[in-house]
Amino acid sequence: MAKLNVRPLIEGRNFGVRISGITREQTNDPEVRQQVNDLFERHGMIVFEDVEPSGKMQIALSDIFGPLKDHPSKAVPRVDQDAMPGVIDMTCPPWPEGRIHVDGQEVTQWLPWHFDHAYNNELNRAGVLRAIDIPPEDGLTGFVDGIELYDAISPELREKIEGHNILYRMNVIMKDFHFGAPDDYRCIAENPTADSVMEAAKDVPRSVHPAVWTRDTGEKVLHVSPWMAEGIENDETPEGNALLDAVSHDIFDRAKELSYWHHWKPTDMLIWDNWRVLHAVSGHHPQYQRRMQRTTIKGDYGLGYFEGGASNDNKILERTY
């Protein structure tokens, strides 16, 4: 069997692994592909270190895990689609309009804990991310394992939320974010693209996803996205909202100990399991540029649906970071 340099992401924890020095040639090796997929399924996240820093390498790594899903909005900037189909380009220039005050400072590009595509009935399998322009401070991407969150959350909250489904809607208006929001959270200025995103999504029904689901391997996953959440299905009451807020706050609190925050290097790429892992962005000082590129792996876990049994073939703009 091909030999890979594999070590834990965090010593003493099952969540995540690091693989160093995988080459583009190795991504075509069936044994390597099987080994990498097995590691991903078992650990939920892989940080690839010391890899070729190119879009072609990103596509080659992504192809190990399944077919790519193109971004649903044609307005999102792409890299050369003839040479590198499926790679989207996300650049935050210096001094952008969108600003957040959180944790005592003003930052841009801050995002709360969430899973991607919460507002759709289908959940993409995973994302593969790399950094091109890296701020000298902050600009980190955080990850927390839903299996570990399920075990760590308050037993009383776990008992109350398990068996419930959560309602989600596309909402990129940051002043509307409230479930689990830090005490000093404040939106200073909205991203100027937010209104167009909201207009495109206004007629799409709300999605529904379980707060807890069970993997084929038996582990239970706490999979609540505080961002985009609108309430508990069949319990949009003050009591239901208070429960969802308490669970969201507990996720933020538990993540302080359980999360992994990735400090980017140009030779890093990483993949996370969108059915199991929540992620967040630390934000960074507005004076710095941050540029990321991403591919999305197609797939679905089959547990989500649109409210009221609605069907909708329109694809909503998917925020990717």
Side-chain angles (χ1 to χ4, degrees):
M1 176 176 288
K3 182 69 173 178
L4 292 176
N5 183 358
V6 182
R7 64 189 194 281
L9 181 67
I10 307 167
E11 288 295 336
R13 302 258 296 276
N14 183 64
F15 175 50
V17 295
R18 301 176 188 270
I19 297 178
S20 298
I22 190 171
T23 66
R24 217 191 309 177
E25 182 181 11
Q26 285 179 303
T27 65
N28 292 316
D29 184 325
E31 290 187 352
V32 169
R33 293 169 72 90
Q34 186 62 55
Q35 186 177 355
V36 170
N37 268 294
D38 289 347
L39 288 167
F40 178 65
E41 183 66 26
R42 189 178 313 128
H43 298 286
M45 179 176 172
I46 300 174
V47 175
F48 295 97
E49 300 175 319
D50 302 319
V51 299
E52 172 192 322
S54 72
K56 290 183 178 179
M57 182 63 185
Q58 186 170 4
I59 290 174
L61 278 178
S62 302
D63 183 67
I64 293 175
F65 301 96
L68 297 186
K69 175 183 179 181
D70 191 18
H71 197 287
S73 171
K74 300 304 180 185
V76 173
R78 264 79 165 172
V79 182
D80 183 346
Q81 291 299 283
D82 291 330
M84 294 177 289
V87 180
I88 61 172
D89 191 68
M90 301 155 291
T91 301
C92 175
W95 302 112
E97 293 185 46
R99 309 280 182 82
I100 297 295
H101 179 276
V102 67
D103 295 333
Q105 58 185 334
E106 181 178 327
V107 296
T108 188
Q109 295 279 287
W110 180 90
L111 284 180
W113 293 107
H114 65 286
F115 56 85
D116 285 333
H117 245 173
Y119 44 79
N120 276 345
N121 59 337
E122 296 181 358
L123 295 187
N124 58 277
R125 181 69 181 96
V128 178
L129 193 63
R130 75 180 182 112
I132 296 175
D133 292 333
I134 303 169
E137 300 174 355
D138 300 321
L140 314 182
T141 309
F143 303 87
V144 64
D145 182 19
I147 295 174
E148 292 185 340
L149 279 176
Y150 179 83
D151 292 335
I153 194 173
S154 155
E156 292 129 330
L157 287 177
R158 183 171 59 214
E159 182 177 353
K160 289 178 180 178
I161 199 65
E162 190 163 359
H164 284 294
N165 295 324
I166 310 300
L167 295 159
Y168 297 98
R169 188 189 298 280
M170 163 63 84
N171 189 346
V172 296
I173 304 299
M174 297 307 292
K175 66 180 176 60
D176 288 349
F177 169 63
H178 55 281
F179 286 118
D183 291 338
D184 69 339
Y185 173 82
R186 178 166 51 92
C187 178
I188 298 170
E190 297 285 357
N191 189 308
T193 66
D195 287 341
S196 61
V197 174
M198 297 299 290
E199 177 65 22
K202 67 179 182 179
D203 296 326
V204 178
R206 294 189 295 184
S207 68
V208 187
H209 293 280
V212 176
W213 71 282
T214 304
R215 284 161 42 98
D216 290 342
T217 45
E219 305 97 334
K220 289 191 174 183
V221 179
L222 177 64
H223 205 229
V224 173
S225 176
W227 194 33
M228 308 286 182
E230 289 215 329
I232 296 175
E233 185 183 35
N234 300 320
D235 194 9
E236 292 183 85
T237 64
E239 294 77 15
N241 289 342
L243 172 58
L244 181 54
D245 190 51
V247 171
S248 298
H249 273 289
D250 211 30
I251 287 172
F252 272 79
D253 288 343
R254 305 295 172 176
K256 292 174 183 177
E257 295 183 2
L258 295 177
S259 58
Y260 166 78
W261 288 90
H262 189 69
H263 294 253
W264 287 98
K265 295 185 295 183
T267 53
D268 292 339
M269 296 185 193
L270 58 79
I271 183 170
W272 69 96
D273 184 342
N274 191 48
W275 304 344
R276 164 179 171 178
V277 176
L278 302 182
H279 62 285
V281 183
S282 71
H284 63 276
H285 194 284
Q287 68 179 305
Y288 300 121
Q289 176 162 300
R290 182 176 185 263
R291 183 184 179 197
M292 312 294 289
Q293 290 187 348
R294 170 173 165 165
T295 55
T296 301
I297 311 302
K298 188 176 182 179
D300 184 35
Y301 71 157
L303 300 176
Y305 53 91
F306 283 124
E307 188 177 22
S311 63
N312 193 306
D313 294 330
N314 295 325
K315 297 302 183 182
I316 309 169
L317 174 64
E318 180 183 9
R319 292 291 294 270
T320 50
Y321 301 87

